[in-house]
Amino acid sequence: MPGLLFAFFLSLSGITGPLQSYAAPLDQLSEQVQGTDQELKVIPGGQTIGVKVKSAGVLVVGHHLIEVSEQSKLSPGENSGLVPGDLMVSIDGVKLDEVSKVAKLVERAGKAGEALTIVYKRGGKEHTARLNPAYDRNDKVWRLGLYIRDSAAGVGTLTFYAPEQGVYGALGHVITDMNTGTPIVVGSGHIVQSTVTSISKSQDGDPGEKRAVFLKESQVLGNVQSNTDFGIFGKMTKNPEHSLYKQPIPVAMSNEVKEGPAQILTVVDGQQVERFDVEIIHVAHQQTPATKGLVLRITDPRLIEKTGGIVQGMSGSPIVQDGRLIGAVTHVFVNDPKSGYGCFIEWMLKDSGVAEQIEGSPYNLKAV
């Protein structure tokens, strides 16, 4: 089946997938960065970006019944134990790097009357399933009885670009398949320029969204190398157009973030990044990585008039306080869309590898 769109515009509730985050404990990261002569600086983003990814295999997103006779329907995939969210990595030893390979392997096995051996991943562990393809008497093709896909696309917001390291971070939270809720295991991908065409305003109980289209797809801004609890990360060679900052600014550790005024950077029309006033109303004291680091409320009347508050597509919008980058917008409160959560920037910097280059050795911790 062709790749379908999946939603990673903005988390509506906490998402804590099984992917690992390599952020150091807060007190160690703060002490190590502050103890160096090199001040950690990055360029805040705010640009709307288009994201295209291919998974590291073929994702099972559902079952369907095959009519094999007038009296009988079945799903070989379901009968074999495969469930939505499983990532098929090979069939009969053939690596699945694109969905088109599946139909050819299924047809060959069906005609030969042979069973297929499918290696798949579930919960980070490899398993094996065996099944015999079924012949669809209506469409006259051999099938697995599975809905599958290998690629997806969507729109988000760039959080930062680190010119010295040549890397970026975006979104502020893990991207998941919209049908299964499974975090996407990235095989390859890239980000491109995008432009906002309209806004569906947020209302209580009904978060709005940015409507955007991809631009200049031949001009790739960067690749996608990883997808963690704190966003997507990859290589980028230059600061994208429409940035409000031409030079890097300092970042703040979470113990330096305080309640009070701040600004977010985001796009609400076209490609122009704008500053909008917000209020930080709560700061969490985190000793280990967690996606909900602070609570913010939109106070800028221009943004409220345009969007009604926080909307889907704003995820990843940088948060700046006292001239320092402190985090990114990640979640919206469904029943109060003027408010939402943000994550602290150090967790994103660690997952991108930027903080690691400054402060030393990595720490293998799972975000919660």
Side-chain angles (χ1 to χ4, degrees), residues 47-52 154-156 158 190-196 212-222 236 238-243 267 270-271:
Q47 297 93 332
T48 298
I49 54 172
V51 184
K52 287 190 170 185
V155 176
L158 181 71
H190 61 268
I191 62 174
V192 299
Q193 292 182 353
S194 181
T195 184
V196 176
V213 296
F214 293 10
L215 287 179
K216 300 181 180 178
E217 293 194 57
S218 61
Q219 183 181 338
V220 174
L221 298 176
M236 181 181 284
K238 65 179 181 180
N239 190 26
E241 297 175 2
H242 307 289
S243 174
V267 175
Q271 295 179 272

Side-chain angles (χ1 to χ4, degrees), residues 254 257 279-284 286 290-296 319 326-330 333 340-345:
S254 62
V257 179
E279 186 83 7
I280 307 298
I281 58 178
H282 175 73
V283 178
Q286 296 180 343
T291 55
K292 298 175 182 178
L294 53 88
V295 178
L296 67 137
I319 307 171
I326 65 171
V329 178
T330 59
F333 294 167
Y341 285 110
C343 70
F344 293 123
I345 195 62

